[in-house]
Amino acid sequence: MRVAIIGSGPRGMSVLERLVARLIESESRESVEIYLIDDGYVGTGRVWSTEQSPHLLMNTVAQEISAFSGPWDGTEARPGNGPSFAQWWQLYREDYEQFGGYGPRAYYGEYLLYVLSAVESSLPSHVTLCKRSARVERLEETCRTQLLYFLNSEILEVDRTVLATGHPNNRLQGFEKTLHDYAARTEDVMFMSGDSVADMNLSEIGPQQHVGIIGMGLTFYDLLAELTMGRGGEFITEQDGSMRYESSGCEPRIFVGSRSGVPVPARGFNQKPSDYEYHPAIFTRERAFCMIQKGEVHFDRDVLPLLEAEIGLVYAETKLRHEKGEDQARQLREYVIIHQVDSVEGVSTFAHILGLSHPMTIDLYKLANPFRGCTFPSLDSFNEVLSSLLAADYEEAMRGNVDSPIKAALDVIRNSRSVIRVFVDFGGLHPHSHQNEFLRRFSPVSGFLSAGPPAFRVLQLQALIKAGIVTVIGPSVKFEPVANEHESGIYMSSPSVEDSTVAVKVVIDGRIPTTDITRDRSSLTQSLLEKGIYTPFVNRKRDAVFETGGVSVTASPFHPIRADQTIADRLYVLGIPTEHTRWFMQSGSSRPHKWIDFMIDADAIATDMIQGRGEKHDPNQAEKQHYAATGTL
């Protein structure tokens, strides 16, 4: 059997690790050849390259991350048994305490290479692993195999192929294309499309040059780090805990804006153990399964109220614990479960009975867009208000993700992703709700409120605003090319902030491209579309139709469904290419103490390949086997 894994980032590596673990367990001694292929860095993919700047950090604490599918027993690492990222970091480096538990992405790349080395050293005698740093340009199916055509004209024939190709590089459209085309024909103007910061050529940006950034998410913080610390600047921590920025003189002037005008909030200081698990009282998988069996589901009407009620419960529990003690907080959860509460109002009623001191409201969209409807007389006045908001966010973040009511509550979004998937995956929502209520409205807000940077990034941003390096333009920022033949540049402005217009020479799109296989520039993706192997998943219910842009796949183990509706049962598609068919496929790691969907998916594919008969695999069975093996059931 010959197996190809195209893409060696965390998803591809997880399949390799589980495949080798299963081969070690298997009684068969049939010869197996595994080809691990990446057009970037084999073992890390380009996003986790070990050559990138140490200023680029992960946004998940290291102790919550493992690329091994089993906890470590302290012996030599092998598939199914190896150190978590935090354990590896503390063993092989001496700076674990310097980053607040958030590892540099380059370190995680080194960790992935460590995992790859452990896998290689554990290969049974009948299994070989070939690492190929090459680009697959197209894939063709024969009767029982696949032919992989490389950029260098080589051809590889394999029996099974896993497509784990990662983030796309899309054809531009809309205002991004307008800016790109303007920059292409204007000599001193530059536009950089959304991408990993490690792959952006920031060296072309000169000192004091005016730079505009679209978006204020995680990529924005990466860009700030590279354009300041990466240019020789330094953040100095003052006695009161604030930060001051000492400029190197090599930084550009940075102007930034987004739809909300607010940077993504900081993650709460981690107070939870690595094996922490949240057990919902309202937004449960059982309730979700019951609801989807009853018929048509709309996100805003049916799902969001339950999620906000669960978030409200944790908020109220935390407040009650501070104000009235542990017993009152525990009593609240018991009341909610006994009375089958399913709304914020119900939670609030019981919280007030138990003595909560003020009314409780949970509105995720207001939290994500606090300046909606506000106007400001100047850029200075807006940035003063923003600085106060940043200071409050930092204070809450430092209270911790257990002790801060708001940070503890927003962690529920992260902890509820598997329940949200029950409603959303494979067209579970009504098509209009899926497209507009969920993907356009909720999904960006979900990421904004639950996937922020470590808290010290907020202090750094405050210091940069005070130093005049960074200016936030405001909400609903607009970018327009200068319509004057005697000038060149791109105007940035916010309709909510008077006199906010500034001209910049460089615009960087600080947003990660969304999955849309019809716009993906990848020659491999386009060849799969042309041959009908890939087709976009269409959410269709009666007269409502939504073409999502994600690859249409079966349930686990995720075979692509061809354009003629047949199943390519010797191919597997995992991760980002299937986004919108499934939800939140950007996840890049599993947990040290248990399998989450990330590892369950990888094991399902590995098991199906070994069975070799195209039999469908039950991921729940894999999960049960894992828990039984690790004693956590």
Side-chain angles (χ1 to χ4, degrees):
M1 183 173 69
R2 307 180 95 196
V3 173
I5 301 172
I6 303 176
S8 69
R11 290 279 183 176
M13 285 290 292
S14 67
V15 174
L16 173 66
E17 197 263 4
R18 285 310 305 154
L19 177 57
V20 174
R22 289 291 183 184
L23 288 169
I24 291 171
E25 297 171 356
S26 174
E27 295 180 359
S28 171
R29 287 299 177 261
E30 174 192 6
S31 175
V32 178
E33 296 177 9
I34 306 171
Y35 294 84
L36 186 63
I37 305 166
D38 203 298
D39 63 358
Y41 305 89
V42 177
T44 67
R46 66 188 183 96
V47 171
W48 305 105
S49 163
T50 60
E51 298 178 8
Q52 65 189 291
S53 165
H55 303 306
L56 305 180
L57 304 181
M58 304 177 74
N59 71 311
T60 302
V61 290
Q63 69 177 35
E64 295 180 357
I65 300 170
S66 181
F68 286 98
S69 57
W72 190 35
D73 63 7
T75 62
E76 185 175 359
R78 60 191 184 278
N81 185 325
S84 69
F85 179 40
Q87 289 171 323
W88 172 88
W89 188 357
Q90 292 172 84
L91 277 172
Y92 291 96
R93 288 190 170 270
E94 298 179 353
D95 55 359
Y96 181 74
E97 302 298 331
Q98 294 180 21
F99 295 89
Y102 293 86
R105 292 196 184 125
Y107 285 14
Y108 191 62
E110 291 182 29
Y111 172 63
L112 289 174
L113 292 179
Y114 170 86
V115 176
L116 178 56
S117 177
V119 169
E120 286 185 282
S121 63
S122 303
L123 292 173
S125 59
H126 63 289
V127 180
T128 58
L129 175 64
C130 178
K131 297 175 289 187
R132 295 284 298 272
S133 180
R135 176 177 297 176
V136 179
E137 289 283 285
R138 72 182 197 273
L139 179 152
E140 292 183 1
E141 293 181 295
T142 68
C143 181
R144 297 184 61 82
T145 65
Q146 303 93 52
L147 299 176
L148 309 183
Y149 291 81
F150 291 90
L151 182 61
N152 63 4
S153 300
E154 291 184 32
I155 302 173
L156 175 66
E157 185 174 20
V158 295
D159 302 296
R160 300 288 174 113
T161 301
V162 180
L163 294 143
T165 47
H167 286 289
N169 182 2
N170 294 334
R171 291 192 302 274
L172 300 179
Q173 60 183 15
F175 89 95
E176 296 97 333
K177 187 175 189 305
T178 299
L179 297 181
H180 172 272
D181 292 348
Y182 174 77
R185 65 176 182 267
T186 308
E187 185 175 350
D188 59 345
V189 176
M190 191 185 334
F191 175 77
M192 297 186 185
S193 302
D195 203 350
S196 167
V197 172
D199 291 312
M200 293 181 178
N201 187 9
L202 301 178
S203 63
E204 296 183 13
I205 299 172
Q208 306 305 316
Q209 193 169 25
H210 283 205
V211 174
I213 299 176
I214 306 171
M216 302 176 74
L218 295 174
T219 300
F220 162 65
Y221 280 105
D222 285 344
L223 286 166
L224 289 190
E226 280 299 272
L227 293 172
T228 57
M229 290 184 288
R231 296 289 180 97
E234 186 177 1
F235 291 98
I236 308 298
T237 302
E238 305 283 24
Q239 289 186 347
D240 63 359
S242 65
M243 282 189 181
R244 170 173 54 85
Y245 182 69
E246 288 195 355
S247 171
S248 68
C250 298
E251 304 90 348
R253 283 288 314 279
I254 300 169
F255 301 88
V256 62
S258 65
R259 283 176 294 185
S260 68
V262 180
V264 57
R267 292 283 305 279
F269 173 74
N270 184 53
Q271 298 172 306
K272 299 174 181 177
S274 61
D275 60 352
Y276 171 83
E277 289 187 51
Y278 178 70
H279 300 285
I282 301 168
F283 194 61
T284 64
R285 292 176 67 89
E286 293 76 18
R287 187 171 247 155
F289 283 123
C290 287
M291 289 177 64
I292 62 175
Q293 289 170 4
K294 290 180 180 178
E296 192 170 276
V297 177
H298 291 254
F299 186 79
D300 284 358
R301 182 191 71 193
D302 303 315
V303 183
L304 185 60
L306 293 175
L307 176 59
E308 289 190 332
E310 190 74 48
I311 293 169
L313 171 60
V314 173
Y315 181 88
E317 278 182 311
T318 309
K319 292 284 290 183
L320 277 172
R321 193 172 71 247
H322 291 315
E323 295 178 10
K324 300 295 181 179
E326 291 285 353
D327 289 344
Q328 297 294 83
R330 192 180 305 112
Q331 188 72 57
L332 174 62
R333 181 166 289 260
E334 291 175 2
Y335 282 161
V336 164
I337 294 172
I338 291 170
H339 295 280
Q340 298 184 354
V341 172
D342 60 0
S343 67
V344 171
E345 292 77 16
V347 173
S348 186
T349 297
F350 282 113
H352 292 161
I353 290 172
L354 291 167
L356 192 66
S357 61
H358 59 82
M360 182 184 69
T361 58
I362 295 293
D363 184 338
L364 296 181
Y365 297 118
K366 187 174 181 180
L367 284 171
N369 193 0
F371 296 138
R372 182 188 300 163
C374 299
T375 58
F376 300 88
S378 67
L379 274 174
D380 287 343
S381 65
F382 171 74
N383 277 266
E384 285 178 14
V385 174
L386 178 63
S387 293
S388 297
L389 188 149
L390 292 174
D393 181 57
Y394 177 76
E395 182 179 346
E396 287 299 323
M398 293 311 295
R399 290 181 70 183
N401 58 7
V402 171
D403 290 337
S404 163
I406 189 62
K407 295 301 180 182
L410 292 179
D411 256 13
V412 170
I413 299 175
R414 293 169 56 85
N415 296 327
S416 299
R417 285 171 184 158
S418 63
V419 183
I420 295 173
R421 290 190 187 107
V422 173
F423 288 107
V424 174
D425 286 4
F426 301 103
L429 296 174
H430 183 274
H432 291 165
S433 176
H434 187 192
Q435 181 177 18
N436 299 305
E437 295 175 354
F438 184 74
L439 290 179
R440 286 184 179 169
R441 290 191 69 213
F442 174 77
S443 194
V445 165
S446 165
F448 181 85
L449 293 176
S450 66
F456 63 81
R457 289 296 204 207
V458 173
L459 289 184
Q460 292 176 347
L461 175 57
Q462 287 180 294
L464 291 171
I465 292 174
K466 289 178 183 177
I469 302 293
V470 172
T471 301
V472 182
I473 298 299
S476 304
V477 67
K478 296 180 180 179
F479 292 80
E480 297 177 322
V482 175
N484 184 332
E485 62 181 17
H486 302 295
E487 298 179 51
S488 63
I490 295 173
Y491 286 136
M492 294 177 64
S493 63
S494 168
S496 302
V497 181
E498 294 182 25
D499 299 324
S500 61
T501 302
V502 297
V504 298
K505 291 292 187 179
V506 180
V507 172
I508 303 173
D509 192 342
R511 302 166 300 172
I512 297 297
T514 187
T515 296
D516 186 347
I517 58 174
T518 64
R519 292 198 295 129
D520 190 348
R521 289 173 171 155
S522 162
S523 56
L524 174 59
T525 298
Q526 292 308 308
S527 78
L528 291 165
L529 276 169
E530 290 166 7
K531 295 180 183 303
I533 298 170
Y534 270 9
T535 186
F537 172 68
V538 178
N539 185 350
R540 189 190 312 270
K541 287 181 175 59
R542 295 191 296 276
D543 59 342
V545 177
F546 168 42
E547 182 178 293
T548 66
V551 178
S552 181
V553 294
T554 67
S556 177
F558 317 112
H559 301 301
I561 301 173
R562 301 186 185 96
D564 62 4
Q565 296 304 296
T566 59
I567 294 173
D569 62 4
R570 295 174 182 274
L571 298 175
Y572 310 85
V573 191
L574 191 62
I576 290 171
T578 65
E579 183 69 31
H580 309 323
T581 309
R582 305 170 69 204
W583 181 64
F584 204 76
M585 294 293 99
Q586 303 95 327
S587 173
S589 63
S590 191
R591 300 293 296 271
H593 70 288
K594 66 168 288 186
W595 285 9
I596 59 174
D597 294 358
F598 179 93
M599 198 61 72
I600 294 170
D601 293 350
D603 186 69
I605 291 173
T607 301
D608 191 80
M609 283 193 286
I610 291 173
Q611 288 174 344
R613 297 186 297 272
E615 299 172 4
K616 296 300 170 283
H617 179 66
D618 177 9
N620 293 326
Q621 183 61 30
E623 188 176 20
K624 291 173 185 175
Q625 290 172 355
H626 171 72
Y627 287 161
T630 60
T632 56
L633 186 62

